[in-house]
Amino acid sequence: GGAKGGEIGGPSPGESLKEEEVAMDGGLATFMKDGVDGEDRTRMKAQIKADTIYGDDNTQGRAQKYGEALSVGLTAKDIQDWPDILQSVTAEEVMTAAKDLLDRKNAVTGWLSPKEEAQ
């Protein structure tokens, strides 16, 4: 299917919306059964750390990060602590959150398709 690596799903050419939904549900079921991949988790943590370091080199990006966070009620300390918080998250915490958030009974699927032209 079209959904890979955190993207919002969309069917690949020749694949129906239903086929994409089934593939996405299968991927989520596999994740819930197998859990967090240790190598992926290590790679993601390294990427987050690098993004934080390089992102802080960009004054416009840093200002935007602070502006967005402050506008939703976070503090400067929250923003400064966020990278360390992300680094401290365990695989068990990820799976606990996933069980709460990825319950198929609470899922909603929206299928967006182009409006058909009147003939």
Side-chain angles (χ1 to χ4, degrees):
K4 292 181 179 69
E7 296 175 6
I8 294 176
S12 298
E15 185 177 57
S16 73
L17 291 169
K18 184 63 180 170
E19 289 169 322
E20 177 64 18
E21 182 179 16
V22 168
M24 188 178 301
D25 286 344
L28 288 172
T30 298
F31 172 73
M32 295 305 294
K33 180 175 67 76
D34 296 344
V36 177
D37 180 277
E39 287 182 22
D40 284 345
R41 186 170 166 273
T42 300
R43 181 183 44 77
M44 285 186 281
K45 283 189 169 194
Q47 184 63 51
I48 289 168
K49 189 172 188 173
D51 288 348
T52 300
I53 292 167
Y54 292 119
D56 283 348
D57 285 345
N58 177 330
T59 55
Q60 181 179 359
R62 187 182 325 169
Q64 181 173 351
K65 176 172 63 174
Y66 273 79
E68 289 173 352
L70 294 171
S71 72
V72 296
L74 297 175
T75 67
K77 182 165 177 23
D78 294 330
I79 299 161
Q80 293 160 0
D81 290 347
W82 187 241
D84 292 333
I85 291 167
L86 290 176
Q87 293 299 318
S88 71
V89 172
T90 66
E92 293 77 21
E93 290 170 326
V94 170
M95 294 311 296
T96 297
K99 287 175 186 166
D100 290 339
L101 297 172
L102 300 177
D103 185 341
R104 185 64 177 125
K105 293 180 287 193
N106 299 326
V108 175
T109 302
W111 293 359
L112 303 176
S113 56
K115 182 178 179 182
E116 292 187 21
E117 299 281 331
Q119 293 185 2

